[in-house]
Amino acid sequence: MKVLLPDSVELDVSLPAGVTAVVYPIGEPIPDEHCDAEALVVWGNPAPQLADAARRLRRLRWVQSLAAGPDAVLQAGFATDVLVTAGLGLHDRTVAEHTLALVLAAARRLNLLIRAQVGHRWAGELGGLQPVREEGSFRTLRDAHVVIWGFGGIAGTLAPLLAALGARVTGVARTAGERYGFPVVTAAELPALLPAADVLISILPATPETAGVLDATVLGQLPPHAWVVNVGRGSTLDEAALLAALRSGRIAGAALDVFATEPLPPGSGLWDEPNVIISPHAAGGRPLGAAALISENLGALLDGRPLRNQIC
């Protein structure tokens, strides 16, 4: 068996007997001599390159995406009998760390402090003596209510970090119950949660069901001091509705790592909003444990066992 490994990440994969690995450049078509590969690992591949691979790799049996959400692979047009597995778990720590940074930046108004620094202005209104409790404002994680929509592995890593700083965390997922020691409700109960939320964090994947679910209705149910944080997929957020909510003062701010169009176009109104924090899809980018996942799934494929994180 031949497995193709991307040149976008260093992978020291332990290969089962009889398996040969070939590193390919993700920005170019797969070389003709390697179109007999039965396994393909992808990470950061451009859409045209993936579509080309889907057309030309006729012996392909399995595609391993190192992204937590394999939407790019699912849209590439691979044959229906090709197994697709995702990189679930590879980004839990990195995305959780970045999300915590965004939430703390929002609470501590780092966006406004940086603007003041650029203008050589001492932002005294954001420093000095401050109230211990400031009603109607999100200024600390202490006693804050954080709602996380999309309560999977990333949320399971993030929630204890938020709780350690004093936040009360409620998860939203397809099934209710308790996960990672935190209460979880379904989306049907979301309208009852939002009026008391200080922060709404979205870690939703890109699916037909999640397209635009963070819409004007959801934003309108949040209190005026609430912040929205999106580290899932840009397609889940109605950016026009978000801009309208921000400009009307309906919500206090947003910290965004993902966007409907990436890179975010220079003409987007989000750039100039003082209470919007923008990061360039930087939360992940480092698939921790990728080599071990690839080795595990290679072994399972050869043995005819179910693959880990199988999507289809």
Side-chain angles (χ1 to χ4, degrees), residues 19 30 40 55 69 79 84 88 90-91 111 117 132 138 140-141 161 187 198 239 248 269 282 286 296 304:
V19 176
I30 302 294
L40 174 68
R55 287 192 301 269
V84 176
L88 298 172
L90 304 183
H91 305 276
N111 55 312
Q117 179 180 345
V132 174
F138 171 57
T140 176
L141 278 172
L161 303 177
D198 297 293
E239 292 176 4
S248 67
R286 310 164 189 85
E296 178 185 336

Side-chain angles (χ1 to χ4, degrees), residues 159-211:
L161 303 177
L162 298 169
L165 292 173
R168 176 169 62 92
V169 178
T170 305
V172 181
R174 291 180 178 177
T175 56
E178 183 178 292
R179 294 188 190 179
Y180 308 103
F182 294 89
V184 176
V185 302
T186 66
E189 298 175 77
L190 189 61
L193 282 181
L194 294 180
D198 297 293
V199 184
L200 171 61
I201 300 174
S202 173
I203 318 180
L204 291 169
T207 67
E209 295 75 26
T210 62

Side-chain angles (χ1 to χ4, degrees), residues 67-71 95 98-99 102 148-150 154 200-207 210 214 228-237 255-260 262 281-284:
D71 37 294
V95 177
H98 193 84
T99 307
L102 291 176
I148 304 178
W149 196 358
I154 294 171
L200 171 61
I201 300 174
S202 173
I203 318 180
L204 291 169
T207 67
T210 62
L214 287 163
V228 172
V229 178
N230 190 13
V231 293
R233 284 293 184 265
S235 62
T236 65
L237 174 63
L256 310 172
D257 185 57
V258 290
F259 303 88
E262 295 182 358
H281 206 139

Side-chain angles (χ1 to χ4, degrees), residues 93-117:
R93 286 183 287 169
T94 54
V95 177
E97 181 179 23
H98 193 84
T99 307
L100 179 63
L102 291 176
V103 173
L104 288 172
R108 294 297 177 161
R109 303 297 191 265
L110 295 191
N111 55 312
L112 300 181
L113 292 174
I114 291 172
R115 282 173 176 254
Q117 179 180 345

